[in-house]
Amino acid sequence: MCGIVGGVSKKNITPVLINGLKKLEYRGYDSAGIVTLCKNNRLNRARAVGRVVNLEKRIKDKETPMDGTIGIAHTRWATHGEPSSRNAHPHICNHTVSVVHNGIIENFLELKATQKADGYTFTSDTDTEVIGHAIHQHLQDSESLLEATQKAILMFKGAYGIGVISPKDPGHVIAARSGSPLVVGISKKGNFIASDQMALLDITKDFIYLLEGDRKSVV
Ligand code: GLU
């Protein structure tokens, strides 16, 4: 199991994401990571092996402050690729698409072979990296990150709960699920996603439970 938290907030989202990850610690994990969309519209990432406090330390040590209002975060329980910083989520494709994933993409080897032939490079041993590449590829012929994600998930066999952000579509976090849990939390402070409502209870009690195959654009 692992945990996903993400959202579009009115204020700096990092404290909400870190607090959410801590609430998901009961699910068990081997590493953790976070990406926020900075004020300069760049993806800013921190990852660390072990507990969420290690990630917090990494964030404090960063040169670029993690002060964006849009972001996604993850605690990982490795299924493909050893527990390490390079395998920790979020994964980023070409500075353009960042993804967190809970589950297993069963046909990732097949997708990876095709994506390598298309010129994509891989920086991890996870099954997850094919998700970001597939969405990146579909962004070229899509109007939005939502549309690109909707097209990409048709390619996946297996289980996934995913959160996706991109500087190309900076107002949104895209969420999709099939076989892994995901809820949307609505509040005046912003709108959020999480693997379990527990991660968001400090912010809201207003939840939408995504159904199998749902894809939501959180604004
Ligand atoms: N299969 C993915 C990985 O190994 C996600 C694992 C998880 O659900 O934490 O990175």
Side-chain angles (χ1 to χ4, degrees), residues 91-94 96-101 105 111 115 120-122 126-140 145 148-149 152 156 162-166:
H91 292 285
I92 297 178
C93 175
N94 291 343
T96 306
V97 173
S98 185
V99 63
V100 287
H101 165 224
I105 302 299
L111 293 171
Q115 291 173 349
Y120 284 95
T121 52
F122 286 78
T126 66
D127 52 326
T128 299
E129 222 178 335
V130 298
I131 299 176
H133 291 350
I135 296 171
H136 179 270
Q137 203 154 28
H138 281 296
L139 260 184
Q140 320 309 317
L145 186 60
T149 307
F156 307 145
I162 57 171
V164 189
I165 61 171
S166 171

PDB file of all heavy atoms in Angstrom, residues 91-94 96-101 105 111 115 120-122 126-140 145 148-149 152 156 162-166:
ATOM      1  N   HIS A  91       7.211  11.046 -10.056  1.00  0.00           N
ATOM      2  CA  HIS A  91       8.079  10.964 -11.225  1.00  0.00           C
ATOM      3  C   HIS A  91       7.753  12.126 -12.159  1.00  0.00           C
ATOM      4  O   HIS A  91       6.626  12.631 -12.161  1.00  0.00           O
ATOM      5  CB  HIS A  91       7.912   9.612 -11.911  1.00  0.00           C
ATOM      6  CG  HIS A  91       8.449   8.509 -11.055  1.00  0.00           C
ATOM      7  ND1 HIS A  91       9.802   8.294 -10.897  1.00  0.00           N
ATOM      8  CD2 HIS A  91       7.835   7.614 -10.251  1.00  0.00           C
ATOM      9  CE1 HIS A  91      10.001   7.307 -10.052  1.00  0.00           C
ATOM     10  NE2 HIS A  91       8.820   6.876  -9.635  1.00  0.00           N
ATOM     11  N   ILE A  92       8.771  12.552 -12.908  1.00  0.00           N
ATOM     12  CA  ILE A  92       8.601  13.714 -13.790  1.00  0.00           C
ATOM     13  C   ILE A  92       9.054  13.339 -15.194  1.00  0.00           C
ATOM     14  O   ILE A  92      10.125  12.746 -15.367  1.00  0.00           O
ATOM     15  CB  ILE A  92       9.442  14.919 -13.302  1.00  0.00           C
ATOM     16  CG1 ILE A  92       8.965  15.374 -11.915  1.00  0.00           C
ATOM     17  CG2 ILE A  92       9.350  16.077 -14.297  1.00  0.00           C
ATOM     18  CD1 ILE A  92       9.775  16.522 -11.322  1.00  0.00           C
ATOM     19  N   CYS A  93       8.240  13.666 -16.188  1.00  0.00           N
ATOM     20  CA  CYS A  93       8.621  13.433 -17.589  1.00  0.00           C
ATOM     21  C   CYS A  93       8.923  14.770 -18.253  1.00  0.00           C
ATOM     22  O   CYS A  93       8.037  15.641 -18.344  1.00  0.00           O
ATOM     23  CB  CYS A  93       7.490  12.716 -18.329  1.00  0.00           C
ATOM     24  SG  CYS A  93       7.827  12.533 -20.082  1.00  0.00           S
ATOM     25  N   ASN A  94      10.158  14.917 -18.738  1.00  0.00           N
ATOM     26  CA  ASN A  94      10.570  16.094 -19.533  1.00  0.00           C
ATOM     27  C   ASN A  94      10.170  17.437 -18.913  1.00  0.00           C
ATOM     28  O   ASN A  94       9.720  18.335 -19.640  1.00  0.00           O
ATOM     29  CB  ASN A  94       9.988  15.999 -20.956  1.00  0.00           C
ATOM     30  CG  ASN A  94      10.637  14.872 -21.745  1.00  0.00           C
ATOM     31  OD1 ASN A  94      11.704  14.385 -21.375  1.00  0.00           O
ATOM     32  ND2 ASN A  94      10.000  14.442 -22.815  1.00  0.00           N
ATOM     33  N   THR A  96       7.669  18.353 -17.605  1.00  0.00           N
ATOM     34  CA  THR A  96       6.338  18.757 -18.071  1.00  0.00           C
ATOM     35  C   THR A  96       5.182  18.028 -17.374  1.00  0.00           C
ATOM     36  O   THR A  96       4.120  18.613 -17.186  1.00  0.00           O
ATOM     37  CB  THR A  96       6.216  18.516 -19.595  1.00  0.00           C
ATOM     38  OG1 THR A  96       7.299  19.177 -20.231  1.00  0.00           O
ATOM     39  CG2 THR A  96       4.922  19.047 -20.154  1.00  0.00           C
ATOM     40  N   VAL A  97       5.381  16.764 -17.041  1.00  0.00           N
ATOM     41  CA  VAL A  97       4.292  16.003 -16.412  1.00  0.00           C
ATOM     42  C   VAL A  97       4.839  15.335 -15.156  1.00  0.00           C
ATOM     43  O   VAL A  97       5.876  14.674 -15.206  1.00  0.00           O
ATOM     44  CB  VAL A  97       3.750  14.906 -17.368  1.00  0.00           C
ATOM     45  CG1 VAL A  97       2.740  14.022 -16.639  1.00  0.00           C
ATOM     46  CG2 VAL A  97       3.120  15.524 -18.603  1.00  0.00           C
ATOM     47  N   SER A  98       4.138  15.528 -14.033  1.00  0.00           N
ATOM     48  CA  SER A  98       4.553  14.845 -12.811  1.00  0.00           C
ATOM     49  C   SER A  98       3.407  13.976 -12.309  1.00  0.00           C
ATOM     50  O   SER A  98       2.240  14.380 -12.332  1.00  0.00           O
ATOM     51  CB  SER A  98       4.964  15.851 -11.732  1.00  0.00           C
ATOM     52  OG  SER A  98       5.459  15.136 -10.618  1.00  0.00           O
ATOM     53  N   VAL A  99       3.759  12.770 -11.848  1.00  0.00           N
ATOM     54  CA  VAL A  99       2.727  11.803 -11.469  1.00  0.00           C
ATOM     55  C   VAL A  99       3.078  11.076 -10.180  1.00  0.00           C
ATOM     56  O   VAL A  99       4.249  10.783  -9.916  1.00  0.00           O
ATOM     57  CB  VAL A  99       2.488  10.801 -12.642  1.00  0.00           C
ATOM     58  CG1 VAL A  99       3.720   9.995 -12.951  1.00  0.00           C
ATOM     59  CG2 VAL A  99       1.329   9.872 -12.357  1.00  0.00           C
ATOM     60  N   VAL A 100       2.053  10.850  -9.359  1.00  0.00           N
ATOM     61  CA  VAL A 100       2.152   9.920  -8.226  1.00  0.00           C
ATOM     62  C   VAL A 100       1.178   8.785  -8.512  1.00  0.00           C
ATOM     63  O   VAL A 100       0.121   9.000  -9.094  1.00  0.00           O
ATOM     64  CB  VAL A 100       1.820  10.579  -6.872  1.00  0.00           C
ATOM     65  CG1 VAL A 100       2.938  11.498  -6.423  1.00  0.00           C
ATOM     66  CG2 VAL A 100       0.490  11.336  -6.907  1.00  0.00           C
ATOM     67  N   HIS A 101       1.556   7.592  -8.063  1.00  0.00           N
ATOM     68  CA  HIS A 101       0.779   6.397  -8.444  1.00  0.00           C
ATOM     69  C   HIS A 101       0.737   5.407  -7.295  1.00  0.00           C
ATOM     70  O   HIS A 101       1.754   5.105  -6.674  1.00  0.00           O
ATOM     71  CB  HIS A 101       1.465   5.763  -9.682  1.00  0.00           C
ATOM     72  CG  HIS A 101       1.034   4.369 -10.004  1.00  0.00           C
ATOM     73  ND1 HIS A 101       1.931   3.381 -10.335  1.00  0.00           N
ATOM     74  CD2 HIS A 101      -0.194   3.801 -10.078  1.00  0.00           C
ATOM     75  CE1 HIS A 101       1.279   2.262 -10.599  1.00  0.00           C
ATOM     76  NE2 HIS A 101      -0.011   2.480 -10.441  1.00  0.00           N
ATOM     77  N   ILE A 105       1.112  -1.141 -12.718  1.00  0.00           N
ATOM     78  CA  ILE A 105       0.785  -1.161 -14.148  1.00  0.00           C
ATOM     79  C   ILE A 105       1.343  -2.466 -14.705  1.00  0.00           C
ATOM     80  O   ILE A 105       2.564  -2.613 -14.882  1.00  0.00           O
ATOM     81  CB  ILE A 105       1.389   0.072 -14.885  1.00  0.00           C
ATOM     82  CG1 ILE A 105       0.888   1.376 -14.264  1.00  0.00           C
ATOM     83  CG2 ILE A 105       1.066   0.019 -16.383  1.00  0.00           C
ATOM     84  CD1 ILE A 105      -0.608   1.600 -14.296  1.00  0.00           C
ATOM     85  N   LEU A 111       4.806  -1.210 -22.548  1.00  0.00           N
ATOM     86  CA  LEU A 111       4.715   0.241 -22.764  1.00  0.00           C
ATOM     87  C   LEU A 111       6.104   0.870 -22.768  1.00  0.00           C
ATOM     88  O   LEU A 111       6.415   1.757 -23.568  1.00  0.00           O
ATOM     89  CB  LEU A 111       3.852   0.895 -21.678  1.00  0.00           C
ATOM     90  CG  LEU A 111       2.356   0.536 -21.699  1.00  0.00           C
ATOM     91  CD1 LEU A 111       1.651   1.073 -20.461  1.00  0.00           C
ATOM     92  CD2 LEU A 111       1.696   1.091 -22.958  1.00  0.00           C
ATOM     93  N   GLN A 115       7.823   3.174 -25.577  1.00  0.00           N
ATOM     94  CA  GLN A 115       8.219   4.554 -25.245  1.00  0.00           C
ATOM     95  C   GLN A 115       9.709   4.770 -25.481  1.00  0.00           C
ATOM     96  O   GLN A 115      10.124   5.836 -25.946  1.00  0.00           O
ATOM     97  CB  GLN A 115       7.835   4.858 -23.791  1.00  0.00           C
ATOM     98  CG  GLN A 115       6.323   4.942 -23.607  1.00  0.00           C
ATOM     99  CD  GLN A 115       5.903   5.063 -22.157  1.00  0.00           C
ATOM    100  OE1 GLN A 115       6.705   4.886 -21.240  1.00  0.00           O
ATOM    101  NE2 GLN A 115       4.622   5.355 -21.928  1.00  0.00           N
ATOM    102  N   TYR A 120      11.796   8.228 -25.376  1.00  0.00           N
ATOM    103  CA  TYR A 120      11.701   8.573 -23.948  1.00  0.00           C
ATOM    104  C   TYR A 120      12.811   7.889 -23.161  1.00  0.00           C
ATOM    105  O   TYR A 120      13.175   6.749 -23.443  1.00  0.00           O
ATOM    106  CB  TYR A 120      10.340   8.156 -23.382  1.00  0.00           C
ATOM    107  CG  TYR A 120       9.229   9.092 -23.800  1.00  0.00           C
ATOM    108  CD1 TYR A 120       8.433   8.812 -24.907  1.00  0.00           C
ATOM    109  CD2 TYR A 120       8.994  10.278 -23.105  1.00  0.00           C
ATOM    110  CE1 TYR A 120       7.428   9.681 -25.311  1.00  0.00           C
ATOM    111  CE2 TYR A 120       7.994  11.147 -23.499  1.00  0.00           C
ATOM    112  CZ  TYR A 120       7.221  10.847 -24.590  1.00  0.00           C
ATOM    113  OH  TYR A 120       6.231  11.726 -24.993  1.00  0.00           O
ATOM    114  N   THR A 121      13.352   8.608 -22.166  1.00  0.00           N
ATOM    115  CA  THR A 121      14.367   8.007 -21.304  1.00  0.00           C
ATOM    116  C   THR A 121      13.753   7.731 -19.929  1.00  0.00           C
ATOM    117  O   THR A 121      12.809   8.399 -19.520  1.00  0.00           O
ATOM    118  CB  THR A 121      15.577   8.940 -21.135  1.00  0.00           C
ATOM    119  OG1 THR A 121      15.107  10.214 -20.722  1.00  0.00           O
ATOM    120  CG2 THR A 121      16.351   9.085 -22.425  1.00  0.00           C
ATOM    121  N   PHE A 122      14.345   6.760 -19.231  1.00  0.00           N
ATOM    122  CA  PHE A 122      13.816   6.346 -17.928  1.00  0.00           C
ATOM    123  C   PHE A 122      14.849   6.628 -16.841  1.00  0.00           C
ATOM    124  O   PHE A 122      16.025   6.327 -17.018  1.00  0.00           O
ATOM    125  CB  PHE A 122      13.440   4.864 -17.970  1.00  0.00           C
ATOM    126  CG  PHE A 122      12.171   4.628 -18.760  1.00  0.00           C
ATOM    127  CD1 PHE A 122      12.185   4.634 -20.148  1.00  0.00           C
ATOM    128  CD2 PHE A 122      10.956   4.456 -18.109  1.00  0.00           C
ATOM    129  CE1 PHE A 122      11.019   4.468 -20.879  1.00  0.00           C
ATOM    130  CE2 PHE A 122       9.785   4.281 -18.823  1.00  0.00           C
ATOM    131  CZ  PHE A 122       9.813   4.289 -20.217  1.00  0.00           C
ATOM    132  N   THR A 126      10.806   1.850 -11.800  1.00  0.00           N
ATOM    133  CA  THR A 126       9.402   1.614 -11.435  1.00  0.00           C
ATOM    134  C   THR A 126       8.529   1.329 -12.654  1.00  0.00           C
ATOM    135  O   THR A 126       8.871   1.679 -13.788  1.00  0.00           O
ATOM    136  CB  THR A 126       8.797   2.852 -10.740  1.00  0.00           C
ATOM    137  OG1 THR A 126       8.744   3.921 -11.693  1.00  0.00           O
ATOM    138  CG2 THR A 126       9.633   3.291  -9.560  1.00  0.00           C
ATOM    139  N   ASP A 127       7.371   0.749 -12.389  1.00  0.00           N
ATOM    140  CA  ASP A 127       6.336   0.608 -13.420  1.00  0.00           C
ATOM    141  C   ASP A 127       5.646   1.957 -13.662  1.00  0.00           C
ATOM    142  O   ASP A 127       5.087   2.208 -14.722  1.00  0.00           O
ATOM    143  CB  ASP A 127       5.298  -0.442 -12.985  1.00  0.00           C
ATOM    144  CG  ASP A 127       4.752  -0.179 -11.591  1.00  0.00           C
ATOM    145  OD1 ASP A 127       5.509   0.309 -10.728  1.00  0.00           O
ATOM    146  OD2 ASP A 127       3.562  -0.449 -11.363  1.00  0.00           O
ATOM    147  N   THR A 128       5.721   2.849 -12.663  1.00  0.00           N
ATOM    148  CA  THR A 128       4.987   4.120 -12.683  1.00  0.00           C
ATOM    149  C   THR A 128       5.447   5.076 -13.775  1.00  0.00           C
ATOM    150  O   THR A 128       4.644   5.844 -14.312  1.00  0.00           O
ATOM    151  CB  THR A 128       5.158   4.816 -11.305  1.00  0.00           C
ATOM    152  OG1 THR A 128       4.605   3.960 -10.309  1.00  0.00           O
ATOM    153  CG2 THR A 128       4.491   6.167 -11.259  1.00  0.00           C
ATOM    154  N   GLU A 129       6.733   5.030 -14.111  1.00  0.00           N
ATOM    155  CA  GLU A 129       7.266   6.055 -15.022  1.00  0.00           C
ATOM    156  C   GLU A 129       6.571   6.043 -16.387  1.00  0.00           C
ATOM    157  O   GLU A 129       6.475   7.079 -17.049  1.00  0.00           O
ATOM    158  CB  GLU A 129       8.782   5.869 -15.181  1.00  0.00           C
ATOM    159  CG  GLU A 129       9.493   7.205 -15.165  1.00  0.00           C
ATOM    160  CD  GLU A 129      11.003   7.076 -15.264  1.00  0.00           C
ATOM    161  OE1 GLU A 129      11.569   6.024 -14.896  1.00  0.00           O
ATOM    162  OE2 GLU A 129      11.611   8.051 -15.724  1.00  0.00           O
ATOM    163  N   VAL A 130       6.044   4.879 -16.787  1.00  0.00           N
ATOM    164  CA  VAL A 130       5.352   4.837 -18.098  1.00  0.00           C
ATOM    165  C   VAL A 130       4.091   5.699 -18.088  1.00  0.00           C
ATOM    166  O   VAL A 130       3.627   6.146 -19.142  1.00  0.00           O
ATOM    167  CB  VAL A 130       4.988   3.381 -18.542  1.00  0.00           C
ATOM    168  CG1 VAL A 130       6.236   2.539 -18.715  1.00  0.00           C
ATOM    169  CG2 VAL A 130       3.992   2.726 -17.600  1.00  0.00           C
ATOM    170  N   ILE A 131       3.539   5.945 -16.889  1.00  0.00           N
ATOM    171  CA  ILE A 131       2.298   6.746 -16.807  1.00  0.00           C
ATOM    172  C   ILE A 131       2.594   8.186 -17.240  1.00  0.00           C
ATOM    173  O   ILE A 131       1.901   8.752 -18.082  1.00  0.00           O
ATOM    174  CB  ILE A 131       1.727   6.732 -15.366  1.00  0.00           C
ATOM    175  CG1 ILE A 131       1.372   5.301 -14.942  1.00  0.00           C
ATOM    176  CG2 ILE A 131       0.513   7.650 -15.269  1.00  0.00           C
ATOM    177  CD1 ILE A 131       0.892   5.176 -13.501  1.00  0.00           C
ATOM    178  N   GLY A 132       3.652   8.766 -16.659  1.00  0.00           N
ATOM    179  CA  GLY A 132       4.015  10.146 -16.992  1.00  0.00           C
ATOM    180  C   GLY A 132       4.367  10.287 -18.468  1.00  0.00           C
ATOM    181  O   GLY A 132       3.967  11.251 -19.123  1.00  0.00           O
ATOM    182  N   HIS A 133       5.104   9.308 -18.995  1.00  0.00           N
ATOM    183  CA  HIS A 133       5.496   9.367 -20.405  1.00  0.00           C
ATOM    184  C   HIS A 133       4.266   9.278 -21.321  1.00  0.00           C
ATOM    185  O   HIS A 133       4.172   9.981 -22.322  1.00  0.00           O
ATOM    186  CB  HIS A 133       6.469   8.236 -20.742  1.00  0.00           C
ATOM    187  CG  HIS A 133       7.831   8.387 -20.106  1.00  0.00           C
ATOM    188  ND1 HIS A 133       8.236   9.541 -19.472  1.00  0.00           N
ATOM    189  CD2 HIS A 133       8.878   7.536 -20.021  1.00  0.00           C
ATOM    190  CE1 HIS A 133       9.480   9.383 -19.036  1.00  0.00           C
ATOM    191  NE2 HIS A 133       9.891   8.178 -19.346  1.00  0.00           N
ATOM    192  N   ALA A 134       3.335   8.392 -20.959  1.00  0.00           N
ATOM    193  CA  ALA A 134       2.125   8.227 -21.784  1.00  0.00           C
ATOM    194  C   ALA A 134       1.306   9.522 -21.789  1.00  0.00           C
ATOM    195  O   ALA A 134       0.800   9.944 -22.832  1.00  0.00           O
ATOM    196  CB  ALA A 134       1.285   7.065 -21.257  1.00  0.00           C
ATOM    197  N   ILE A 135       1.191  10.163 -20.619  1.00  0.00           N
ATOM    198  CA  ILE A 135       0.429  11.422 -20.551  1.00  0.00           C
ATOM    199  C   ILE A 135       1.157  12.511 -21.334  1.00  0.00           C
ATOM    200  O   ILE A 135       0.546  13.273 -22.087  1.00  0.00           O
ATOM    201  CB  ILE A 135       0.197  11.840 -19.080  1.00  0.00           C
ATOM    202  CG1 ILE A 135      -0.682  10.795 -18.376  1.00  0.00           C
ATOM    203  CG2 ILE A 135      -0.446  13.232 -18.998  1.00  0.00           C
ATOM    204  CD1 ILE A 135      -0.801  10.971 -16.873  1.00  0.00           C
ATOM    205  N   HIS A 136       2.490  12.553 -21.192  1.00  0.00           N
ATOM    206  CA  HIS A 136       3.290  13.539 -21.931  1.00  0.00           C
ATOM    207  C   HIS A 136       3.077  13.378 -23.437  1.00  0.00           C
ATOM    208  O   HIS A 136       2.890  14.355 -24.165  1.00  0.00           O
ATOM    209  CB  HIS A 136       4.766  13.365 -21.584  1.00  0.00           C
ATOM    210  CG  HIS A 136       5.673  14.319 -22.301  1.00  0.00           C
ATOM    211  ND1 HIS A 136       6.243  14.037 -23.530  1.00  0.00           N
ATOM    212  CD2 HIS A 136       6.071  15.570 -21.981  1.00  0.00           C
ATOM    213  CE1 HIS A 136       6.968  15.057 -23.924  1.00  0.00           C
ATOM    214  NE2 HIS A 136       6.886  16.009 -22.999  1.00  0.00           N
ATOM    215  N   GLN A 137       3.102  12.125 -23.892  1.00  0.00           N
ATOM    216  CA  GLN A 137       2.925  11.847 -25.324  1.00  0.00           C
ATOM    217  C   GLN A 137       1.545  12.339 -25.799  1.00  0.00           C
ATOM    218  O   GLN A 137       1.442  12.976 -26.840  1.00  0.00           O
ATOM    219  CB  GLN A 137       3.047  10.335 -25.548  1.00  0.00           C
ATOM    220  CG  GLN A 137       3.419   9.948 -26.949  1.00  0.00           C
ATOM    221  CD  GLN A 137       4.133   8.596 -26.973  1.00  0.00           C
ATOM    222  OE1 GLN A 137       3.922   7.749 -26.110  1.00  0.00           O
ATOM    223  NE2 GLN A 137       4.974   8.393 -27.968  1.00  0.00           N
ATOM    224  N   HIS A 138       0.520  12.088 -24.990  1.00  0.00           N
ATOM    225  CA  HIS A 138      -0.837  12.485 -25.387  1.00  0.00           C
ATOM    226  C   HIS A 138      -1.072  13.988 -25.246  1.00  0.00           C
ATOM    227  O   HIS A 138      -1.990  14.519 -25.868  1.00  0.00           O
ATOM    228  CB  HIS A 138      -1.870  11.700 -24.590  1.00  0.00           C
ATOM    229  CG  HIS A 138      -2.070  10.315 -25.126  1.00  0.00           C
ATOM    230  ND1 HIS A 138      -2.578  10.073 -26.386  1.00  0.00           N
ATOM    231  CD2 HIS A 138      -1.794   9.099 -24.599  1.00  0.00           C
ATOM    232  CE1 HIS A 138      -2.614   8.769 -26.596  1.00  0.00           C
ATOM    233  NE2 HIS A 138      -2.134   8.162 -25.540  1.00  0.00           N
ATOM    234  N   LEU A 139      -0.240  14.676 -24.437  1.00  0.00           N
ATOM    235  CA  LEU A 139      -0.387  16.144 -24.324  1.00  0.00           C
ATOM    236  C   LEU A 139      -0.175  16.820 -25.677  1.00  0.00           C
ATOM    237  O   LEU A 139      -0.725  17.886 -25.939  1.00  0.00           O
ATOM    238  CB  LEU A 139       0.625  16.702 -23.324  1.00  0.00           C
ATOM    239  CG  LEU A 139       0.170  17.034 -21.906  1.00  0.00           C
ATOM    240  CD1 LEU A 139       1.316  17.648 -21.133  1.00  0.00           C
ATOM    241  CD2 LEU A 139      -1.047  17.968 -21.885  1.00  0.00           C
ATOM    242  N   GLN A 140       0.647  16.175 -26.522  1.00  0.00           N
ATOM    243  CA  GLN A 140       0.960  16.780 -27.830  1.00  0.00           C
ATOM    244  C   GLN A 140      -0.300  16.924 -28.692  1.00  0.00           C
ATOM    245  O   GLN A 140      -0.403  17.835 -29.488  1.00  0.00           O
ATOM    246  CB  GLN A 140       2.015  15.972 -28.615  1.00  0.00           C
ATOM    247  CG  GLN A 140       3.173  15.399 -27.795  1.00  0.00           C
ATOM    248  CD  GLN A 140       3.879  16.423 -26.905  1.00  0.00           C
ATOM    249  OE1 GLN A 140       4.143  17.542 -27.325  1.00  0.00           O
ATOM    250  NE2 GLN A 140       4.162  16.039 -25.663  1.00  0.00           N
ATOM    251  N   LEU A 145      -4.572  18.797 -19.850  1.00  0.00           N
ATOM    252  CA  LEU A 145      -3.961  17.690 -19.102  1.00  0.00           C
ATOM    253  C   LEU A 145      -5.013  16.612 -18.816  1.00  0.00           C
ATOM    254  O   LEU A 145      -4.707  15.421 -18.845  1.00  0.00           O
ATOM    255  CB  LEU A 145      -3.394  18.246 -17.788  1.00  0.00           C
ATOM    256  CG  LEU A 145      -2.599  17.299 -16.909  1.00  0.00           C
ATOM    257  CD1 LEU A 145      -1.366  16.757 -17.633  1.00  0.00           C
ATOM    258  CD2 LEU A 145      -2.183  17.989 -15.613  1.00  0.00           C
ATOM    259  N   ALA A 148      -5.420  14.545 -21.969  1.00  0.00           N
ATOM    260  CA  ALA A 148      -4.239  13.691 -22.179  1.00  0.00           C
ATOM    261  C   ALA A 148      -4.253  12.508 -21.209  1.00  0.00           C
ATOM    262  O   ALA A 148      -3.916  11.375 -21.579  1.00  0.00           O
ATOM    263  CB  ALA A 148      -2.963  14.512 -21.998  1.00  0.00           C
ATOM    264  N   THR A 149      -4.657  12.764 -19.959  1.00  0.00           N
ATOM    265  CA  THR A 149      -4.712  11.684 -18.961  1.00  0.00           C
ATOM    266  C   THR A 149      -5.808  10.682 -19.324  1.00  0.00           C
ATOM    267  O   THR A 149      -5.611   9.468 -19.225  1.00  0.00           O
ATOM    268  CB  THR A 149      -4.955  12.259 -17.550  1.00  0.00           C
ATOM    269  OG1 THR A 149      -3.971  13.264 -17.295  1.00  0.00           O
ATOM    270  CG2 THR A 149      -4.851  11.185 -16.481  1.00  0.00           C
ATOM    271  N   ALA A 152      -4.414   8.544 -21.985  1.00  0.00           N
ATOM    272  CA  ALA A 152      -3.305   7.681 -21.534  1.00  0.00           C
ATOM    273  C   ALA A 152      -3.808   6.482 -20.735  1.00  0.00           C
ATOM    274  O   ALA A 152      -3.324   5.365 -20.921  1.00  0.00           O
ATOM    275  CB  ALA A 152      -2.323   8.501 -20.699  1.00  0.00           C
ATOM    276  N   PHE A 156      -3.427   1.507 -19.953  1.00  0.00           N
ATOM    277  CA  PHE A 156      -2.899   0.807 -18.778  1.00  0.00           C
ATOM    278  C   PHE A 156      -3.722  -0.419 -18.417  1.00  0.00           C
ATOM    279  O   PHE A 156      -4.941  -0.351 -18.334  1.00  0.00           O
ATOM    280  CB  PHE A 156      -2.860   1.744 -17.560  1.00  0.00           C
ATOM    281  CG  PHE A 156      -2.136   3.038 -17.807  1.00  0.00           C
ATOM    282  CD1 PHE A 156      -2.563   4.211 -17.202  1.00  0.00           C
ATOM    283  CD2 PHE A 156      -1.026   3.083 -18.643  1.00  0.00           C
ATOM    284  CE1 PHE A 156      -1.907   5.410 -17.438  1.00  0.00           C
ATOM    285  CE2 PHE A 156      -0.358   4.278 -18.881  1.00  0.00           C
ATOM    286  CZ  PHE A 156      -0.806   5.444 -18.272  1.00  0.00           C
ATOM    287  N   ILE A 162      -4.078   7.644  -9.410  1.00  0.00           N
ATOM    288  CA  ILE A 162      -3.004   8.567  -9.803  1.00  0.00           C
ATOM    289  C   ILE A 162      -3.385  10.017  -9.549  1.00  0.00           C
ATOM    290  O   ILE A 162      -4.559  10.386  -9.560  1.00  0.00           O
ATOM    291  CB  ILE A 162      -2.575   8.414 -11.303  1.00  0.00           C
ATOM    292  CG1 ILE A 162      -3.758   8.621 -12.251  1.00  0.00           C
ATOM    293  CG2 ILE A 162      -1.903   7.091 -11.549  1.00  0.00           C
ATOM    294  CD1 ILE A 162      -3.341   8.687 -13.736  1.00  0.00           C
ATOM    295  N   GLY A 163      -2.356  10.836  -9.305  1.00  0.00           N
ATOM    296  CA  GLY A 163      -2.486  12.285  -9.255  1.00  0.00           C
ATOM    297  C   GLY A 163      -1.480  12.842 -10.250  1.00  0.00           C
ATOM    298  O   GLY A 163      -0.338  12.358 -10.300  1.00  0.00           O
ATOM    299  N   VAL A 164      -1.905  13.828 -11.053  1.00  0.00           N
ATOM    300  CA  VAL A 164      -1.043  14.353 -12.120  1.00  0.00           C
ATOM    301  C   VAL A 164      -1.085  15.878 -12.122  1.00  0.00           C
ATOM    302  O   VAL A 164      -2.172  16.465 -12.003  1.00  0.00           O
ATOM    303  CB  VAL A 164      -1.536  13.864 -13.512  1.00  0.00           C
ATOM    304  CG1 VAL A 164      -0.528  14.229 -14.597  1.00  0.00           C
ATOM    305  CG2 VAL A 164      -1.831  12.382 -13.522  1.00  0.00           C
ATOM    306  N   ILE A 165       0.087  16.526 -12.255  1.00  0.00           N
ATOM    307  CA  ILE A 165       0.121  17.978 -12.471  1.00  0.00           C
ATOM    308  C   ILE A 165       1.089  18.303 -13.599  1.00  0.00           C
ATOM    309  O   ILE A 165       1.975  17.502 -13.928  1.00  0.00           O
ATOM    310  CB  ILE A 165       0.507  18.788 -11.201  1.00  0.00           C
ATOM    311  CG1 ILE A 165       1.901  18.433 -10.704  1.00  0.00           C
ATOM    312  CG2 ILE A 165      -0.520  18.634 -10.111  1.00  0.00           C
ATOM    313  CD1 ILE A 165       2.396  19.371  -9.582  1.00  0.00           C
ATOM    314  N   SER A 166       0.911  19.499 -14.181  1.00  0.00           N
ATOM    315  CA  SER A 166       1.782  19.928 -15.278  1.00  0.00           C
ATOM    316  C   SER A 166       1.833  21.445 -15.361  1.00  0.00           C
ATOM    317  O   SER A 166       0.794  22.101 -15.234  1.00  0.00           O
ATOM    318  CB  SER A 166       1.256  19.368 -16.603  1.00  0.00           C
ATOM    319  OG  SER A 166       1.960  19.947 -17.681  1.00  0.00           O
TER     320      SER A 166
END
